[in-house]
PDB file of all heavy atoms in Angstrom:
ATOM      1  N   TYR A   1      56.389  11.572 -43.992  1.00  0.00           N
ATOM      2  CA  TYR A   1      56.222  12.379 -45.186  1.00  0.00           C
ATOM      3  C   TYR A   1      57.541  12.543 -45.849  1.00  0.00           C
ATOM      4  O   TYR A   1      58.521  13.005 -45.285  1.00  0.00           O
ATOM      5  CB  TYR A   1      55.700  13.866 -44.730  1.00  0.00           C
ATOM      6  CG  TYR A   1      54.252  13.872 -44.247  1.00  0.00           C
ATOM      7  CD1 TYR A   1      54.002  13.993 -42.938  1.00  0.00           C
ATOM      8  CD2 TYR A   1      53.190  13.725 -45.234  1.00  0.00           C
ATOM      9  CE1 TYR A   1      52.667  13.961 -42.484  1.00  0.00           C
ATOM     10  CE2 TYR A   1      51.916  13.783 -44.819  1.00  0.00           C
ATOM     11  CZ  TYR A   1      51.624  13.889 -43.480  1.00  0.00           C
ATOM     12  OH  TYR A   1      50.292  13.902 -43.016  1.00  0.00           O
ATOM     13  N   SER A   2      57.610  12.029 -47.050  1.00  0.00           N
ATOM     14  CA  SER A   2      58.910  12.066 -47.850  1.00  0.00           C
ATOM     15  C   SER A   2      58.508  12.113 -49.331  1.00  0.00           C
ATOM     16  O   SER A   2      58.776  11.341 -50.106  1.00  0.00           O
ATOM     17  CB  SER A   2      59.633  10.738 -47.600  1.00  0.00           C
ATOM     18  OG  SER A   2      60.885  10.794 -48.267  1.00  0.00           O
ATOM     19  N   THR A   3      57.820  13.338 -49.705  1.00  0.00           N
ATOM     20  CA  THR A   3      57.333  13.444 -51.005  1.00  0.00           C
ATOM     21  C   THR A   3      58.247  14.088 -51.952  1.00  0.00           C
ATOM     22  O   THR A   3      58.063  14.177 -53.119  1.00  0.00           O
ATOM     23  CB  THR A   3      56.008  14.374 -50.884  1.00  0.00           C
ATOM     24  OG1 THR A   3      56.393  15.623 -50.463  1.00  0.00           O
ATOM     25  CG2 THR A   3      55.028  13.760 -49.991  1.00  0.00           C
ATOM     26  N   SER A   4      59.365  14.818 -51.343  1.00  0.00           N
ATOM     27  CA  SER A   4      60.410  15.511 -52.104  1.00  0.00           C
ATOM     28  C   SER A   4      59.786  16.731 -52.805  1.00  0.00           C
ATOM     29  O   SER A   4      60.282  17.163 -53.796  1.00  0.00           O
ATOM     30  CB  SER A   4      61.046  14.593 -53.109  1.00  0.00           C
ATOM     31  OG  SER A   4      61.793  13.568 -52.456  1.00  0.00           O
ATOM     32  N   ASP A   5      58.713  17.305 -52.242  1.00  0.00           N
ATOM     33  CA  ASP A   5      58.137  18.483 -52.852  1.00  0.00           C
ATOM     34  C   ASP A   5      58.768  19.716 -52.242  1.00  0.00           C
ATOM     35  O   ASP A   5      58.468  20.807 -52.624  1.00  0.00           O
ATOM     36  CB  ASP A   5      56.568  18.514 -52.627  1.00  0.00           C
ATOM     37  CG  ASP A   5      56.152  18.561 -51.184  1.00  0.00           C
ATOM     38  OD1 ASP A   5      56.985  18.517 -50.291  1.00  0.00           O
ATOM     39  OD2 ASP A   5      54.927  18.590 -50.952  1.00  0.00           O
ATOM     40  N   GLY A   6      59.689  19.522 -51.303  1.00  0.00           N
ATOM     41  CA  GLY A   6      60.358  20.696 -50.694  1.00  0.00           C
ATOM     42  C   GLY A   6      59.797  21.057 -49.378  1.00  0.00           C
ATOM     43  O   GLY A   6      60.364  21.905 -48.590  1.00  0.00           O
ATOM     44  N   TYR A   7      58.603  20.536 -49.024  1.00  0.00           N
ATOM     45  CA  TYR A   7      57.953  20.983 -47.756  1.00  0.00           C
ATOM     46  C   TYR A   7      57.648  19.913 -46.751  1.00  0.00           C
ATOM     47  O   TYR A   7      56.808  20.042 -45.814  1.00  0.00           O
ATOM     48  CB  TYR A   7      56.599  21.570 -48.273  1.00  0.00           C
ATOM     49  CG  TYR A   7      56.744  22.648 -49.300  1.00  0.00           C
ATOM     50  CD1 TYR A   7      56.215  22.348 -50.603  1.00  0.00           C
ATOM     51  CD2 TYR A   7      57.324  23.810 -49.012  1.00  0.00           C
ATOM     52  CE1 TYR A   7      56.376  23.244 -51.583  1.00  0.00           C
ATOM     53  CE2 TYR A   7      57.499  24.856 -50.112  1.00  0.00           C
ATOM     54  CZ  TYR A   7      57.016  24.503 -51.391  1.00  0.00           C
ATOM     55  OH  TYR A   7      57.141  25.403 -52.353  1.00  0.00           O
ATOM     56  N   ASP A   8      58.356  18.730 -46.873  1.00  0.00           N
ATOM     57  CA  ASP A   8      58.127  17.663 -45.942  1.00  0.00           C
ATOM     58  C   ASP A   8      58.383  18.072 -44.505  1.00  0.00           C
ATOM     59  O   ASP A   8      57.526  17.830 -43.646  1.00  0.00           O
ATOM     60  CB  ASP A   8      58.894  16.425 -46.409  1.00  0.00           C
ATOM     61  CG  ASP A   8      58.287  15.828 -47.603  1.00  0.00           C
ATOM     62  OD1 ASP A   8      57.093  15.594 -47.673  1.00  0.00           O
ATOM     63  OD2 ASP A   8      59.124  15.591 -48.489  1.00  0.00           O
ATOM     64  N   ALA A   9      59.539  18.589 -44.201  1.00  0.00           N
ATOM     65  CA  ALA A   9      59.870  19.065 -42.849  1.00  0.00           C
ATOM     66  C   ALA A   9      58.944  20.140 -42.430  1.00  0.00           C
ATOM     67  O   ALA A   9      58.539  20.171 -41.231  1.00  0.00           O
ATOM     68  CB  ALA A   9      61.320  19.516 -42.721  1.00  0.00           C
ATOM     69  N   SER A  10      58.475  20.991 -43.233  1.00  0.00           N
ATOM     70  CA  SER A  10      57.602  22.011 -42.872  1.00  0.00           C
ATOM     71  C   SER A  10      56.271  21.569 -42.451  1.00  0.00           C
ATOM     72  O   SER A  10      55.521  22.277 -41.756  1.00  0.00           O
ATOM     73  CB  SER A  10      57.484  23.008 -44.071  1.00  0.00           C
ATOM     74  OG  SER A  10      58.657  23.610 -44.484  1.00  0.00           O
ATOM     75  N   ARG A  11      55.980  20.408 -42.743  1.00  0.00           N
ATOM     76  CA  ARG A  11      54.660  19.826 -42.290  1.00  0.00           C
ATOM     77  C   ARG A  11      54.562  19.639 -40.760  1.00  0.00           C
ATOM     78  O   ARG A  11      53.509  19.372 -40.215  1.00  0.00           O
ATOM     79  CB  ARG A  11      54.383  18.539 -42.981  1.00  0.00           C
ATOM     80  CG  ARG A  11      54.148  18.690 -44.520  1.00  0.00           C
ATOM     81  CD  ARG A  11      53.790  17.358 -45.277  1.00  0.00           C
ATOM     82  NE  ARG A  11      53.138  17.737 -46.521  1.00  0.00           N
ATOM     83  CZ  ARG A  11      53.808  17.964 -47.720  1.00  0.00           C
ATOM     84  NH1 ARG A  11      55.186  17.728 -47.744  1.00  0.00           N
ATOM     85  NH2 ARG A  11      53.236  18.258 -48.789  1.00  0.00           N
ATOM     86  N   ILE A  12      55.660  19.855 -40.104  1.00  0.00           N
ATOM     87  CA  ILE A  12      55.665  19.822 -38.591  1.00  0.00           C
ATOM     88  C   ILE A  12      54.811  21.029 -38.102  1.00  0.00           C
ATOM     89  O   ILE A  12      54.389  20.927 -36.933  1.00  0.00           O
ATOM     90  CB  ILE A  12      57.105  19.857 -38.078  1.00  0.00           C
ATOM     91  CG1 ILE A  12      57.104  19.421 -36.584  1.00  0.00           C
ATOM     92  CG2 ILE A  12      57.657  21.154 -38.167  1.00  0.00           C
ATOM     93  CD1 ILE A  12      58.459  19.251 -35.940  1.00  0.00           C
ATOM     94  N   LEU A  13      54.558  21.935 -38.898  1.00  0.00           N
ATOM     95  CA  LEU A  13      53.746  23.143 -38.538  1.00  0.00           C
ATOM     96  C   LEU A  13      52.260  22.791 -38.530  1.00  0.00           C
ATOM     97  O   LEU A  13      51.434  23.560 -37.982  1.00  0.00           O
ATOM     98  CB  LEU A  13      54.025  24.327 -39.477  1.00  0.00           C
ATOM     99  CG  LEU A  13      55.432  24.788 -39.620  1.00  0.00           C
ATOM    100  CD1 LEU A  13      55.494  25.897 -40.671  1.00  0.00           C
ATOM    101  CD2 LEU A  13      55.906  25.314 -38.308  1.00  0.00           C
ATOM    102  N   LEU A  14      51.880  21.733 -39.144  1.00  0.00           N
ATOM    103  CA  LEU A  14      50.523  21.334 -39.238  1.00  0.00           C
ATOM    104  C   LEU A  14      50.146  20.529 -37.915  1.00  0.00           C
ATOM    105  O   LEU A  14      49.807  19.353 -38.049  1.00  0.00           O
ATOM    106  CB  LEU A  14      50.263  20.481 -40.481  1.00  0.00           C
ATOM    107  CG  LEU A  14      50.631  21.270 -41.783  1.00  0.00           C
ATOM    108  CD1 LEU A  14      50.355  20.324 -43.047  1.00  0.00           C
ATOM    109  CD2 LEU A  14      49.828  22.529 -41.984  1.00  0.00           C
ATOM    110  N   THR A  15      50.035  21.219 -36.828  1.00  0.00           N
ATOM    111  CA  THR A  15      49.802  20.476 -35.602  1.00  0.00           C
ATOM    112  C   THR A  15      48.374  19.803 -35.541  1.00  0.00           C
ATOM    113  O   THR A  15      48.242  18.807 -34.871  1.00  0.00           O
ATOM    114  CB  THR A  15      49.880  21.451 -34.427  1.00  0.00           C
ATOM    115  OG1 THR A  15      48.984  22.628 -34.590  1.00  0.00           O
ATOM    116  CG2 THR A  15      51.278  22.065 -34.342  1.00  0.00           C
ATOM    117  N   ASP A  16      47.442  20.381 -36.224  1.00  0.00           N
ATOM    118  CA  ASP A  16      46.092  19.773 -36.258  1.00  0.00           C
ATOM    119  C   ASP A  16      46.184  18.373 -37.021  1.00  0.00           C
ATOM    120  O   ASP A  16      45.620  17.452 -36.558  1.00  0.00           O
ATOM    121  CB  ASP A  16      45.110  20.643 -36.941  1.00  0.00           C
ATOM    122  CG  ASP A  16      45.487  21.117 -38.284  1.00  0.00           C
ATOM    123  OD1 ASP A  16      46.691  21.195 -38.618  1.00  0.00           O
ATOM    124  OD2 ASP A  16      44.616  21.422 -39.128  1.00  0.00           O
ATOM    125  N   VAL A  17      46.939  18.382 -38.143  1.00  0.00           N
ATOM    126  CA  VAL A  17      47.013  17.120 -38.850  1.00  0.00           C
ATOM    127  C   VAL A  17      47.793  16.078 -38.033  1.00  0.00           C
ATOM    128  O   VAL A  17      47.482  14.879 -37.937  1.00  0.00           O
ATOM    129  CB  VAL A  17      47.737  17.355 -40.223  1.00  0.00           C
ATOM    130  CG1 VAL A  17      47.982  16.052 -40.901  1.00  0.00           C
ATOM    131  CG2 VAL A  17      46.835  18.292 -41.005  1.00  0.00           C
ATOM    132  N   LEU A  18      48.974  16.456 -37.420  1.00  0.00           N
ATOM    133  CA  LEU A  18      49.814  15.572 -36.657  1.00  0.00           C
ATOM    134  C   LEU A  18      49.135  15.118 -35.435  1.00  0.00           C
ATOM    135  O   LEU A  18      49.392  14.049 -34.949  1.00  0.00           O
ATOM    136  CB  LEU A  18      51.132  16.358 -36.330  1.00  0.00           C
ATOM    137  CG  LEU A  18      51.991  16.775 -37.490  1.00  0.00           C
ATOM    138  CD1 LEU A  18      53.239  17.423 -37.042  1.00  0.00           C
ATOM    139  CD2 LEU A  18      52.332  15.634 -38.445  1.00  0.00           C
ATOM    140  N   SER A  19      48.256  15.898 -34.906  1.00  0.00           N
ATOM    141  CA  SER A  19      47.562  15.437 -33.605  1.00  0.00           C
ATOM    142  C   SER A  19      46.651  14.317 -33.923  1.00  0.00           C
ATOM    143  O   SER A  19      46.438  13.422 -33.073  1.00  0.00           O
ATOM    144  CB  SER A  19      46.834  16.662 -33.038  1.00  0.00           C
ATOM    145  OG  SER A  19      47.646  17.652 -32.568  1.00  0.00           O
ATOM    146  N   GLU A  20      46.156  14.319 -35.135  1.00  0.00           N
ATOM    147  CA  GLU A  20      45.302  13.136 -35.498  1.00  0.00           C
ATOM    148  C   GLU A  20      46.153  11.840 -35.559  1.00  0.00           C
ATOM    149  O   GLU A  20      45.616  10.712 -35.175  1.00  0.00           O
ATOM    150  CB  GLU A  20      44.702  13.329 -36.886  1.00  0.00           C
ATOM    151  CG  GLU A  20      43.675  14.550 -36.902  1.00  0.00           C
ATOM    152  CD  GLU A  20      43.018  14.754 -38.304  1.00  0.00           C
ATOM    153  OE1 GLU A  20      43.328  13.946 -39.197  1.00  0.00           O
ATOM    154  OE2 GLU A  20      42.248  15.670 -38.372  1.00  0.00           O
ATOM    155  N   TRP A  21      47.423  11.954 -36.060  1.00  0.00           N
ATOM    156  CA  TRP A  21      48.231  10.772 -35.989  1.00  0.00           C
ATOM    157  C   TRP A  21      48.521  10.468 -34.472  1.00  0.00           C
ATOM    158  O   TRP A  21      48.672   9.273 -34.131  1.00  0.00           O
ATOM    159  CB  TRP A  21      49.611  11.087 -36.724  1.00  0.00           C
ATOM    160  CG  TRP A  21      49.481  11.244 -38.232  1.00  0.00           C
ATOM    161  CD1 TRP A  21      49.631  12.365 -38.888  1.00  0.00           C
ATOM    162  CD2 TRP A  21      49.202  10.173 -39.172  1.00  0.00           C
ATOM    163  NE1 TRP A  21      49.465  12.022 -40.284  1.00  0.00           N
ATOM    164  CE2 TRP A  21      49.166  10.782 -40.437  1.00  0.00           C
ATOM    165  CE3 TRP A  21      48.891   8.855 -38.955  1.00  0.00           C
ATOM    166  CZ2 TRP A  21      48.895  10.072 -41.507  1.00  0.00           C
ATOM    167  CZ3 TRP A  21      48.618   8.090 -40.161  1.00  0.00           C
ATOM    168  CH2 TRP A  21      48.581   8.681 -41.353  1.00  0.00           C
ATOM    169  N   ALA A  22      48.778  11.394 -33.677  1.00  0.00           N
ATOM    170  CA  ALA A  22      49.092  11.204 -32.310  1.00  0.00           C
ATOM    171  C   ALA A  22      48.026  10.369 -31.604  1.00  0.00           C
ATOM    172  O   ALA A  22      48.294   9.462 -30.763  1.00  0.00           O
ATOM    173  CB  ALA A  22      49.285  12.515 -31.551  1.00  0.00           C
ATOM    174  N   ASP A  23      46.724  10.537 -32.028  1.00  0.00           N
ATOM    175  CA  ASP A  23      45.681   9.879 -31.435  1.00  0.00           C
ATOM    176  C   ASP A  23      45.778   8.301 -31.702  1.00  0.00           C
ATOM    177  O   ASP A  23      45.102   7.520 -31.065  1.00  0.00           O
ATOM    178  CB  ASP A  23      44.300  10.361 -31.918  1.00  0.00           C
ATOM    179  CG  ASP A  23      44.192  11.836 -31.416  1.00  0.00           C
ATOM    180  OD1 ASP A  23      44.701  12.182 -30.347  1.00  0.00           O
ATOM    181  OD2 ASP A  23      43.224  12.553 -32.083  1.00  0.00           O
ATOM    182  N   LEU A  24      46.437   7.903 -32.676  1.00  0.00           N
ATOM    183  CA  LEU A  24      46.608   6.546 -33.123  1.00  0.00           C
ATOM    184  C   LEU A  24      47.652   5.846 -32.488  1.00  0.00           C
ATOM    185  O   LEU A  24      47.810   4.672 -32.475  1.00  0.00           O
ATOM    186  CB  LEU A  24      46.784   6.477 -34.633  1.00  0.00           C
ATOM    187  CG  LEU A  24      45.684   7.093 -35.525  1.00  0.00           C
ATOM    188  CD1 LEU A  24      46.023   6.973 -36.932  1.00  0.00           C
ATOM    189  CD2 LEU A  24      44.329   6.406 -35.284  1.00  0.00           C
ATOM    190  N   LEU A  25      48.521   6.574 -31.677  1.00  0.00           N
ATOM    191  CA  LEU A  25      49.766   6.007 -31.121  1.00  0.00           C
ATOM    192  C   LEU A  25      49.626   5.839 -29.584  1.00  0.00           C
ATOM    193  O   LEU A  25      48.998   6.711 -28.927  1.00  0.00           O
ATOM    194  CB  LEU A  25      50.926   6.896 -31.405  1.00  0.00           C
ATOM    195  CG  LEU A  25      51.315   7.110 -32.836  1.00  0.00           C
ATOM    196  CD1 LEU A  25      52.488   8.229 -32.933  1.00  0.00           C
ATOM    197  CD2 LEU A  25      51.755   5.815 -33.538  1.00  0.00           C
ATOM    198  N   PRO A  26      50.227   4.745 -29.035  1.00  0.00           N
ATOM    199  CA  PRO A  26      50.372   4.693 -27.545  1.00  0.00           C
ATOM    200  C   PRO A  26      51.455   5.580 -27.152  1.00  0.00           C
ATOM    201  O   PRO A  26      52.342   5.872 -27.874  1.00  0.00           O
ATOM    202  CB  PRO A  26      50.684   3.266 -27.365  1.00  0.00           C
ATOM    203  CG  PRO A  26      51.461   2.815 -28.603  1.00  0.00           C
ATOM    204  CD  PRO A  26      50.727   3.599 -29.741  1.00  0.00           C
ATOM    205  N   GLY A  27      51.377   6.059 -25.890  1.00  0.00           N
ATOM    206  CA  GLY A  27      52.451   6.971 -25.475  1.00  0.00           C
ATOM    207  C   GLY A  27      52.321   8.298 -26.109  1.00  0.00           C
ATOM    208  O   GLY A  27      51.299   8.811 -26.525  1.00  0.00           O
ATOM    209  N   ASN A  28      53.550   8.980 -26.241  1.00  0.00           N
ATOM    210  CA  ASN A  28      53.577  10.325 -26.799  1.00  0.00           C
ATOM    211  C   ASN A  28      54.069  10.349 -28.230  1.00  0.00           C
ATOM    212  O   ASN A  28      54.795   9.427 -28.630  1.00  0.00           O
ATOM    213  CB  ASN A  28      54.585  11.222 -25.999  1.00  0.00           C
ATOM    214  CG  ASN A  28      54.104  11.470 -24.512  1.00  0.00           C
ATOM    215  OD1 ASN A  28      53.090  11.920 -24.374  1.00  0.00           O
ATOM    216  ND2 ASN A  28      55.013  11.059 -23.584  1.00  0.00           N
ATOM    217  N   LEU A  29      53.520  11.287 -29.038  1.00  0.00           N
ATOM    218  CA  LEU A  29      54.057  11.372 -30.365  1.00  0.00           C
ATOM    219  C   LEU A  29      55.387  12.022 -30.379  1.00  0.00           C
ATOM    220  O   LEU A  29      55.670  13.028 -29.685  1.00  0.00           O
ATOM    221  CB  LEU A  29      53.011  12.312 -31.187  1.00  0.00           C
ATOM    222  CG  LEU A  29      53.561  12.735 -32.578  1.00  0.00           C
ATOM    223  CD1 LEU A  29      53.636  11.582 -33.525  1.00  0.00           C
ATOM    224  CD2 LEU A  29      52.554  13.822 -33.110  1.00  0.00           C
ATOM    225  N   VAL A  30      56.314  11.460 -31.112  1.00  0.00           N
ATOM    226  CA  VAL A  30      57.671  12.015 -31.191  1.00  0.00           C
ATOM    227  C   VAL A  30      57.938  12.269 -32.759  1.00  0.00           C
ATOM    228  O   VAL A  30      57.490  11.389 -33.609  1.00  0.00           O
ATOM    229  CB  VAL A  30      58.781  11.066 -30.731  1.00  0.00           C
ATOM    230  CG1 VAL A  30      60.109  11.731 -30.832  1.00  0.00           C
ATOM    231  CG2 VAL A  30      58.474  10.721 -29.322  1.00  0.00           C
ATOM    232  N   LEU A  31      58.467  13.397 -33.156  1.00  0.00           N
ATOM    233  CA  LEU A  31      58.673  13.754 -34.491  1.00  0.00           C
ATOM    234  C   LEU A  31      60.141  14.119 -34.768  1.00  0.00           C
ATOM    235  O   LEU A  31      60.914  14.507 -33.904  1.00  0.00           O
ATOM    236  CB  LEU A  31      57.824  15.108 -34.811  1.00  0.00           C
ATOM    237  CG  LEU A  31      56.417  14.906 -34.654  1.00  0.00           C
ATOM    238  CD1 LEU A  31      55.790  16.339 -34.613  1.00  0.00           C
ATOM    239  CD2 LEU A  31      55.814  14.152 -35.739  1.00  0.00           C
ATOM    240  N   GLY A  32      60.530  13.848 -35.954  1.00  0.00           N
ATOM    241  CA  GLY A  32      61.901  14.116 -36.463  1.00  0.00           C
ATOM    242  C   GLY A  32      61.905  14.722 -37.795  1.00  0.00           C
ATOM    243  O   GLY A  32      61.157  14.281 -38.655  1.00  0.00           O
ATOM    244  N   ILE A  33      62.729  15.811 -37.956  1.00  0.00           N
ATOM    245  CA  ILE A  33      62.821  16.435 -39.272  1.00  0.00           C
ATOM    246  C   ILE A  33      64.360  16.578 -39.538  1.00  0.00           C
ATOM    247  O   ILE A  33      64.904  17.666 -39.543  1.00  0.00           O
ATOM    248  CB  ILE A  33      62.097  17.847 -39.300  1.00  0.00           C
ATOM    249  CG1 ILE A  33      62.524  18.658 -38.106  1.00  0.00           C
ATOM    250  CG2 ILE A  33      60.613  17.667 -39.442  1.00  0.00           C
ATOM    251  CD1 ILE A  33      61.987  20.131 -38.291  1.00  0.00           C
ATOM    252  N   PRO A  34      65.016  15.446 -39.872  1.00  0.00           N
ATOM    253  CA  PRO A  34      66.481  15.608 -40.064  1.00  0.00           C
ATOM    254  C   PRO A  34      66.866  16.408 -41.317  1.00  0.00           C
ATOM    255  O   PRO A  34      68.005  17.016 -41.250  1.00  0.00           O
ATOM    256  CB  PRO A  34      66.875  14.114 -40.234  1.00  0.00           C
ATOM    257  CG  PRO A  34      65.653  13.425 -40.752  1.00  0.00           C
ATOM    258  CD  PRO A  34      64.429  14.182 -40.064  1.00  0.00           C
ATOM    259  N   ASN A  35      65.988  16.432 -42.327  1.00  0.00           N
ATOM    260  CA  ASN A  35      66.387  17.289 -43.451  1.00  0.00           C
ATOM    261  C   ASN A  35      65.079  17.824 -44.056  1.00  0.00           C
ATOM    262  O   ASN A  35      64.008  17.415 -43.624  1.00  0.00           O
ATOM    263  CB  ASN A  35      67.265  16.639 -44.438  1.00  0.00           C
ATOM    264  CG  ASN A  35      66.436  15.647 -45.365  1.00  0.00           C
ATOM    265  OD1 ASN A  35      65.509  15.082 -44.915  1.00  0.00           O
ATOM    266  ND2 ASN A  35      66.946  15.490 -46.603  1.00  0.00           N
ATOM    267  N   ARG A  36      65.235  18.697 -45.090  1.00  0.00           N
ATOM    268  CA  ARG A  36      64.071  19.355 -45.685  1.00  0.00           C
ATOM    269  C   ARG A  36      63.025  18.417 -46.275  1.00  0.00           C
ATOM    270  O   ARG A  36      61.800  18.633 -46.096  1.00  0.00           O
ATOM    271  CB  ARG A  36      64.568  20.249 -46.749  1.00  0.00           C
ATOM    272  CG  ARG A  36      63.511  21.067 -47.484  1.00  0.00           C
ATOM    273  CD  ARG A  36      63.978  21.588 -48.814  1.00  0.00           C
ATOM    274  NE  ARG A  36      64.307  20.491 -49.793  1.00  0.00           N
ATOM    275  CZ  ARG A  36      64.849  20.648 -50.988  1.00  0.00           C
ATOM    276  NH1 ARG A  36      65.149  21.842 -51.349  1.00  0.00           N
ATOM    277  NH2 ARG A  36      65.030  19.684 -51.747  1.00  0.00           N
ATOM    278  N   ASP A  37      63.498  17.260 -46.668  1.00  0.00           N
ATOM    279  CA  ASP A  37      62.537  16.296 -47.397  1.00  0.00           C
ATOM    280  C   ASP A  37      62.131  15.102 -46.611  1.00  0.00           C
ATOM    281  O   ASP A  37      61.940  14.030 -47.171  1.00  0.00           O
ATOM    282  CB  ASP A  37      63.217  15.863 -48.765  1.00  0.00           C
ATOM    283  CG  ASP A  37      63.529  16.984 -49.630  1.00  0.00           C
ATOM    284  OD1 ASP A  37      62.647  17.881 -49.857  1.00  0.00           O
ATOM    285  OD2 ASP A  37      64.600  17.134 -50.184  1.00  0.00           O
ATOM    286  N   PHE A  38      62.051  15.245 -45.311  1.00  0.00           N
ATOM    287  CA  PHE A  38      61.670  14.133 -44.478  1.00  0.00           C
ATOM    288  C   PHE A  38      61.105  14.555 -43.165  1.00  0.00           C
ATOM    289  O   PHE A  38      61.619  15.393 -42.472  1.00  0.00           O
ATOM    290  CB  PHE A  38      62.923  13.270 -44.262  1.00  0.00           C
ATOM    291  CG  PHE A  38      62.558  11.780 -43.754  1.00  0.00           C
ATOM    292  CD1 PHE A  38      62.235  10.886 -44.646  1.00  0.00           C
ATOM    293  CD2 PHE A  38      62.597  11.459 -42.422  1.00  0.00           C
ATOM    294  CE1 PHE A  38      61.926   9.551 -44.221  1.00  0.00           C
ATOM    295  CE2 PHE A  38      62.406  10.243 -41.859  1.00  0.00           C
ATOM    296  CZ  PHE A  38      62.039   9.259 -42.815  1.00  0.00           C
ATOM    297  N   LEU A  39      59.914  13.943 -42.854  1.00  0.00           N
ATOM    298  CA  LEU A  39      59.298  14.045 -41.518  1.00  0.00           C
ATOM    299  C   LEU A  39      58.814  12.653 -41.114  1.00  0.00           C
ATOM    300  O   LEU A  39      58.179  11.968 -41.887  1.00  0.00           O
ATOM    301  CB  LEU A  39      58.103  14.979 -41.442  1.00  0.00           C
ATOM    302  CG  LEU A  39      57.475  15.324 -40.170  1.00  0.00           C
ATOM    303  CD1 LEU A  39      56.833  16.728 -40.226  1.00  0.00           C
ATOM    304  CD2 LEU A  39      56.419  14.165 -39.879  1.00  0.00           C
TER     305      LEU A  39
END
């Protein structure tokens, strides 16, 4: 997520949405939010 709407890092709070991504990955889901505009 890199939309530059100011809320990209905050999308880490959407665990239901992110869990859907996790189902597509082997192993464990890992997340990074280095700055406000990137997840």
Side-chain angles (χ1 to χ4, degrees):
Y1 289 103
S2 183
T3 66
S4 296
D5 64 359
Y7 309 110
D8 289 311
S10 300
R11 290 182 165 91
I12 198 172
L13 303 175
L14 303 178
T15 56
D16 53 335
V17 175
L18 300 180
S19 292
E20 293 181 4
W21 290 113
D23 293 340
L24 302 177
L25 298 174
N28 298 302
L29 169 67
V30 184
L31 299 163
I33 48 171
N35 79 327
R36 183 196 65 185
D37 297 316
F38 196 79
L39 181 152

